[in-house]
């Protein structure tokens, strides 16, 4: 195993805020597939071979207990990614896997019935080769040189860069649930938590939008309009009645929010509409109340690009699943070549789905390698 980094599994270590969202407890594959923007029916074939329950059993059989959070995400009970890293590295050592770190591969070419793999300091010959290079350009280059086409890789799962005066000073403010819409030719809608950052907006709702809209956003230079419904549980008529009822509140001021929003966010919204927080509700015109309603149900922002945080970067694109035998993960183009993980044109939204597809393809590839090499599974 040739690893370019000084230590293995660096991406696992930082995942889930250092806790490692190992998988999701959703085992119905038809529902599971709803969380993968790319992969389609072929991915269903793969996920049926190794479901989230299989992931849980694999780790538990090696002494790692997982827990399920209310939203279905699963983490080690230790709340530490190091637990997962130690388990994987320990299992590899137990099985006699030779792990060579700080050994970035520079090239891999066909050599007879096998392959010649070159690093900066050494050259290896092998009968079988597994590419599990994630979104590293060298992996894509090797895959194409060995006969594969490539769906052009573009970023997925990123935050939005937004420069809006109302958001200044709100970094860290969050909402438990919003309904956010990317205003593209075919609008994309997602619900979930929202987080205001120093550079714009983040949180699961935004990350999911970036995943489903990855290609359309890339085509537009990551620029488009975003509308956020701050109160998805309140219908327009209900909200209008609630706002109108505030006019009967005597000298109560606009700065007193009648809805469950953080005070700082509510006042920022008022400021963006040039509505003084000190103005009494009773002196607020129906026109201004309607403007307030429209912003609460669809506060609009201009997305200017991707956010600056890229540590958990995921890529949409890669080698199409149609070019892989999903029973073994062996290439249909080059015998002896196997592919697994993010090098494939598969990606999921946040919640443990990307790890699950990685475990499934890795497990299948491992069995495929063993079977074709004449070893027992």
């Amino acid at each position: 195993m040739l690893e370019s980094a000084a230590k293995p599994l660096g991406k696992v270590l930082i995942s889930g805020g250092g806790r490692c969202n190992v998988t999701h407890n959703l085992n119905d594959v038809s529902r599971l597939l709803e969380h993968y923007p790319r992969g389609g029916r072929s991915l269903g074939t793969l996920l049926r071979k190794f479901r989230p329950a299989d992931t849980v059993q694999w780790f538990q059989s090696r002494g790692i207990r997982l827990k399920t959070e209310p939203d279905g995400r699963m983490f080690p009970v230790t709340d530490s990614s190091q637990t997962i890293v130690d388990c994987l590295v320990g299992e590899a050592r137990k099985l006699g896997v030779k792990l060579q770190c700080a050994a970035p591969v520079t090239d891999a070419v066909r050599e007879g019935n096998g392959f010649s793999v070159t690093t900066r300091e050494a050259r290896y010959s092998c009968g079988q080769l597994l590419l599990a290079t994630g979104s590293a350009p060298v992996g894509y280059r090797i895959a194409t040189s060995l006969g594969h086409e490539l769906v052009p890789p573009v970023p997925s799962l990123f935050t939005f860069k937004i420069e809006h005066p109302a958001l200044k000073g709100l970094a860290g403010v969050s909402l438990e649930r919003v309904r956010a819409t990317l205003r593209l030719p075919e609008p994309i809608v997602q619900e979930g938590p929202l987080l205001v950052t120093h550079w714009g907006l983040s949180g699961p709702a935004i990350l999911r939008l970036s995943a489903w809209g990855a290609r359309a956003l890339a085509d537009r230079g990551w620029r488009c309009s975003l509308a956020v419904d701050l109160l998805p549980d309140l219908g327009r008529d209900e909200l209008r009645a609630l706002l109108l009822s505030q006019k009967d509140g005597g000298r109560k001021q606009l700065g007193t929010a009648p809805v469950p929003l953080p005070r700082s966010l509510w006042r920022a919204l008022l400021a963006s509409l040039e509505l003084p927080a000190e103005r009494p509700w009773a002196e607020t015109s129906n026109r201004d109340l309607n403007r307030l309603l429209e912003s609460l149900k669809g506060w609009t922002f201009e997305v200017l690009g991707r956010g600056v945080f890229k540590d958990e970067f995921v890529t949409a694109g890669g080698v199409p699943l149609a070019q892989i035998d999903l029973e073994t993960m062996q290439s249909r183009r080059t015998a002896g070549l196997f592919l697994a993980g993010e090098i494939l044109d598969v990606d999921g939204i946040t919640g443990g789905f990307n790890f699950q597809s990685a475990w499934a393809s890795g497990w299948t590839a491992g069995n495929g390698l063993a079977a074709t090499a004449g070893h027992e599974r």
Side-chain angles (χ1 to χ4, degrees):
M1 182 179 293
L2 300 173
E3 165 64 55
S4 63
K7 294 182 179 180
L9 301 171
K11 199 167 185 179
V12 173
L13 196 62
I14 64 171
S15 68
R19 296 170 61 211
C20 189
N21 184 182
V22 176
T23 188
H24 195 283
N25 73 340
L26 192 57
N27 280 289
D28 182 332
V29 174
S30 60
R31 291 182 58 204
L32 191 61
L33 288 174
E34 295 172 2
H35 298 81
Y36 292 90
R38 282 149 290 274
R41 291 183 179 180
S42 295
L43 181 59
T45 299
L46 184 60
L47 291 176
R48 287 184 179 88
K49 294 173 68 63
F50 197 80
R51 303 174 189 235
D54 297 311
T55 297
V56 173
Q57 193 280 330
W58 193 94
F59 280 104
Q60 286 185 342
S61 68
R62 289 157 178 81
I64 307 300
R65 292 174 53 221
L66 303 180
K67 62 180 179 179
T68 305
E69 301 205 336
D71 59 4
R73 294 180 301 160
M74 301 191 73
F75 296 85
V77 295
T78 60
D79 279 328
S80 172
S81 300
Q82 191 66 53
T83 300
I84 302 302
V85 171
D86 290 345
C87 175
L88 294 169
V89 172
E91 185 71 7
R93 287 174 177 163
K94 176 183 173 182
L95 296 173
V97 174
K98 295 180 180 179
L99 174 59
Q100 182 69 51
C101 291
V105 171
T106 57
D107 202 8
V109 297
R110 195 67 162 160
E111 185 180 69
N113 293 325
F115 304 91
S116 174
V117 181
T118 305
T119 68
R120 291 175 183 170
E121 298 180 354
R123 179 176 172 276
Y124 302 84
S125 293
C126 57
Q128 297 169 297
L129 176 65
L130 168 63
L131 293 181
T133 50
S135 58
V138 66
Y140 295 138
R141 179 169 56 78
I142 292 171
T144 53
S145 72
L146 292 174
H148 288 277
E149 284 87 31
L150 199 67
V151 177
V154 297
S156 181
L157 286 186
F158 50 84
T159 59
F160 290 166
K161 179 183 177 182
I162 295 172
E163 296 176 1
H164 193 292
L167 297 183
K168 293 188 181 299
L170 293 181
V173 171
S174 63
L175 295 174
E176 289 187 7
R177 194 168 76 89
V178 303
R179 181 179 295 117
T181 304
L182 278 180
R183 290 175 170 169
L184 298 167
E186 293 186 9
I188 300 173
V189 182
Q190 288 290 310
E191 295 185 3
L194 179 79
L195 173 67
V196 182
T197 69
H198 290 289
W199 57 86
L201 294 176
S202 184
I206 298 301
L207 294 174
R208 291 168 189 165
L209 282 177
S210 76
W212 287 102
R215 295 214 165 274
L217 286 167
D219 289 344
R220 291 162 177 75
W222 299 285
R223 287 176 172 264
C224 71
S225 181
L226 169 73
V228 180
D229 182 346
L230 300 173
L231 301 164
D233 294 325
L234 277 178
R236 285 178 175 274
D237 292 342
E238 186 180 2
L239 180 56
R240 181 177 285 107
L242 177 61
L243 295 178
L244 287 171
S245 71
Q246 301 304 300
K247 299 184 73 170
D248 299 327
R251 301 303 297 172
K252 188 162 59 175
Q253 297 178 337
L254 284 177
T256 303
V259 291
L261 291 177
R263 183 173 183 271
S264 57
L265 181 63
W266 172 259
R267 292 192 168 231
L269 179 62
L270 292 177
S272 72
L273 297 171
E274 299 182 343
L275 296 175
E278 300 76 20
R279 177 186 294 175
W281 280 94
E283 297 178 10
T284 304
S285 68
N286 288 347
R287 176 179 177 276
D288 281 341
L289 290 183
N290 202 52
R291 291 170 58 222
L292 184 55
L293 180 149
E294 291 302 320
S295 289
L296 287 167
K297 298 300 290 181
W299 201 357
T300 301
F301 304 92
E302 292 303 314
V303 178
L304 302 177
R306 293 180 287 131
V308 298
F309 182 69
K310 300 177 183 177
D311 283 346
E312 295 190 69
F313 185 82
V314 170
T315 300
V319 176
L321 289 181
Q323 298 177 15
I324 308 298
D325 176 3
L326 298 180
E327 291 300 314
T328 62
M329 301 308 293
Q330 185 169 196
S331 165
R332 296 184 183 277
R333 304 293 179 84
T334 302
L337 176 67
F338 294 73
L339 300 94
E342 198 182 345
I343 191 173
L344 302 169
D345 184 25
V346 172
D347 63 286
I349 62 174
T350 57
F353 302 103
N354 284 295
F355 269 139
Q356 181 56 40
S357 63
W359 308 138
S361 62
W363 181 86
T364 303
N367 280 316
L369 281 159
T372 55
H375 300 300
E376 293 182 0
R377 296 192 177 193

